Amino acid sequence: MATGVIGFGTLPAAADPGDGPGTYTNHIMDDIADAYSDPSIIRGKDGYWYAYATQTSMTRQNAGGPWESQHFMPITRSADLVNWTYVGDVFGPDNHPRWRDFESTYYWAPDIRYINGRYYLYYSVAGNDDNTIALATADHPAGPWRDIGRPVLPYGKKVNQIDPSVFVDTDGEKYLYYGSFRDGGIEAVRLDAEGTTPVGNPVQVVGARRGEAAYVVKRDGWYYLFYSGLGCCTRDEGAYPVYVGRSKDPMGPFVDAEGVGLADRHPGGTIVNSPNGNKWVATGHSANVVDKSGQDWILTNGFDRYEKDPDWGGRPTVMDRLDWIDGWPTVRAGAWTSDGSQRAPVARWDAGSDLGSGLDGFHTAGPGAWKPETDPDSGGYARADGEEPAPRLLLPDHAPRGDVRLESDVRLRDGRGRVGLVLAAGSASDHLIAWVGADRTLTVELTRRGQVRESRTQGLHSGTDIGTWHALTAEIRDGRARIELSAAMLGMPLAEVEMDVPDAWRRGGAASANASGEVDNVGVTRLYTPVRKKLPDPRVGGELRSYREEFADERLEDWDWFGPSDGWVAGGKYVWPTQDADFSGQGSMASALLRDAPQGTYTVETKLHLPITDGPDGRSQAGLIAFRSPEESIHLAPSRTGPTRQVFLWIGRDRDSWPEMQIGPSADTMWLRLRHTVDEATGEHRFQAATSRDGKRFVWGGVWHLPAGDNPRIGLVSLAGEGLTAKFDHVRFYR
């Protein structure tokens, strides 16, 4: 591993001096790396969180630069998810994959997993348009790493083979998700038992030119597929929203909260995160992590659009709370990426420890004893001693009662007996324990006076190696425990069981029977309080009837044209064939039908019929525009990009869909809204977009801005390629 660091800070890293106790401010690695793109994260068995990133060079530069200054997937670690330390690189000149030329290859988008006692790092091998997915393994999250000697996938052209993510299901089956902005979209394929070779044919799970950076977790019986939309790498006009769909099968089909499939011709996708108007843009390529209270957090990379003298790719890592509301994830209840002081993740147990300092803070109950041990992966851990079948308990001192989160890493060193997590204990003979057995079962037993009174059991798949570390966790809320066994708390449960908990008993600890158990990272923490209500949609208000336009006649009072007049009124609609023109200044300049807008906050709406389903394979589009000039304009319009139909907030000036911001699902007939506000601090004109397929339920998407100055005019456009005809029913303003 590399130790000399160019572009990374000195050790150890520190949080921002202005952050108060228990708080942080994005971005989270600002003392060690400006560029920490495509983050992936895991908590190692030594108790630290480890994060991995795309190959980087100097600060504010993601690729290129002198080869000797490159960091080939840098590794950082943290004890609290806020203060980070650089610990090395995955690859260097001495351990890089030998099946590719080192100096013409880039290493992107690592995906870290822990499988049967080893760390698996899937990553993208890119260069010369021959992109594919590869794999390296290690015994410790900091390495040393060794590539398996060949790609995981055969080279392919239809799907851009980047941004891998691996999911291991309850039955032990492994699935690889990969892909980006080509016609093949994002695909899923099963892997063999070793996780090194595809099995069977891939399936498209996200529509063409729709997204990249897949990430899958399982929750409450649903598989949730996170992915990121267009606009990953443009600071001034970056979008990169995070979307999600869910399925009952890891191979899909995945649908959004409206029931629209992610791989449909009009693809769906429920918004998890999107630009909200503050300084952070392009905050996508997500990975999830859980803190010690049970709260989920999401890591993305983004740009600070106010930062001076930027280079391409200087994408730091940002972190925010991930809430689950009515079965769907959203960042900060729908407020999205933060740019001010936030409550930090809970990184300390209220009782317990990582056992790095031995058994201080614990006491024992039952026959036999516990002894401190060490190994390179875990650091300090505890081993049960004694042959008695009765449970021997290792209990944290001064553990809180009530609603708590419990955890312990567990393993069986000799393939016999049981090791477990103490959910609650009243005495050495009265306890509730979640046991992992040598027979590959998770069993929760309620014992009173030494007799088992109630039990629940779930089997583990045949490939589970109980001789390696597994994370055993439980959340106790309102007297009910939800217990989960997983490899590393990455949203991939191997078994889940529920059981009521005696209220008066103390919480937390570890247990062993038959002298077989080893435990680490034993802790109990007050349970997080979930956010159960999403922020309300923007207030639209009542209609400003003096601004209403129903296209009842040709007069079009209060309207005028930028560019030549085009289209006509017919049957109460404005009919406008799409122009072979745009606002780029290259070729023909597009027209816009415009009118003055109200001052201050307002929402403008149009109803549009644009039959893009049967239209030409191009960029033809029509919709609403906020306009001061061709250079200072934003428009909201559905379009066709390859085989996919979708709605964009067009923040560029030409007809290319990069780096435009995707909103909600499209349809041949739909309603479009732009909500205008003025930022009090900067004077910027901010526009938030919304779409609807029925005029009642609107999906509110991201925010983009025009510079301070004159109030932008509002109007209609029909542009970016001939072949379609737009019909506008009305234009209405609300406040």
Side-chain angles (χ1 to χ4, degrees), residues 195-436:
T196 62
T197 303
V199 177
N201 295 320
V203 174
Q204 186 181 42
V205 291
V206 175
R209 307 188 194 181
R210 175 68 180 178
E212 65 178 19
Y215 190 86
V216 175
V217 301
K218 188 176 183 182
R219 183 182 178 94
D220 296 331
W222 291 96
Y223 301 87
Y224 288 86
L225 171 61
F226 295 74
Y227 65 97
S228 298
L230 290 164
C232 76
C233 308
T234 305
R235 181 186 304 270
D236 294 332
E237 298 175 336
Y240 217 29
V242 179
Y243 288 89
V244 72
R246 71 184 187 183
S247 174
K248 287 293 187 178
D249 189 296
M251 297 287 280
F254 293 87
V255 300
D256 68 9
E258 294 191 346
V260 182
L262 304 191
D264 289 357
R265 297 182 77 188
H266 291 270
T270 294
I271 298 173
V272 178
N273 195 47
S274 197
N276 58 14
N278 66 18
K279 72 179 183 179
W280 292 109
V281 296
T283 46
H285 200 120
S286 63
N288 299 352
V289 67
V290 63
D291 73 10
K292 291 182 177 178
S293 76
Q295 175 66 59
D296 281 337
W297 298 79
I298 188 170
L299 275 64
T300 62
N301 57 214
F303 286 113
D304 178 350
R305 62 188 176 95
Y306 298 130
E307 186 173 347
K308 304 298 183 183
D309 191 28
D311 287 323
W312 186 92
R315 297 179 289 163
T317 293
V318 297
M319 175 180 68
D320 278 294
R321 191 187 75 236
L322 183 67
D323 299 317
W324 294 83
I325 301 173
D326 297 329
W328 293 93
T330 186
V331 173
R332 295 199 304 138
W336 302 335
T337 302
S338 66
D339 66 351
S341 180
Q342 301 293 307
R343 179 184 62 82
V346 176
R348 294 177 180 269
W349 293 295
D350 292 322
S353 81
D354 63 5
L355 301 177
S357 300
L359 303 183
D360 292 345
F362 290 89
H363 62 278
T364 61
W370 291 86
K371 294 182 178 179
E373 299 284 352
T374 62
D375 67 27
D377 180 17
S378 325
Y381 66 95
R383 172 185 289 183
D385 185 30
E387 294 296 328
E388 297 84 355
R392 60 197 55 80
L393 310 182
L394 181 67
L395 304 174
D397 299 334
H398 313 299
R401 299 175 184 268
D403 291 353
V404 295
R405 182 176 185 271
L406 316 168
E407 60 182 82
S408 177
D409 288 324
V410 299
R411 67 184 178 190
L412 293 173
R413 68 172 180 266
D414 56 8
R416 62 187 178 88
R418 302 195 296 177
V419 62
L421 177 69
V422 176
L423 307 180
S427 67
S429 59
D430 294 331
H431 42 71
L432 179 65
I433 300 175
W435 291 104
V436 177

Side-chain angles (χ1 to χ4, degrees), residues 484-496:
E484 176 183 294
L485 181 71
S486 68
M489 296 181 288
L490 289 175
M492 300 186 294
L494 295 173
E496 298 173 281

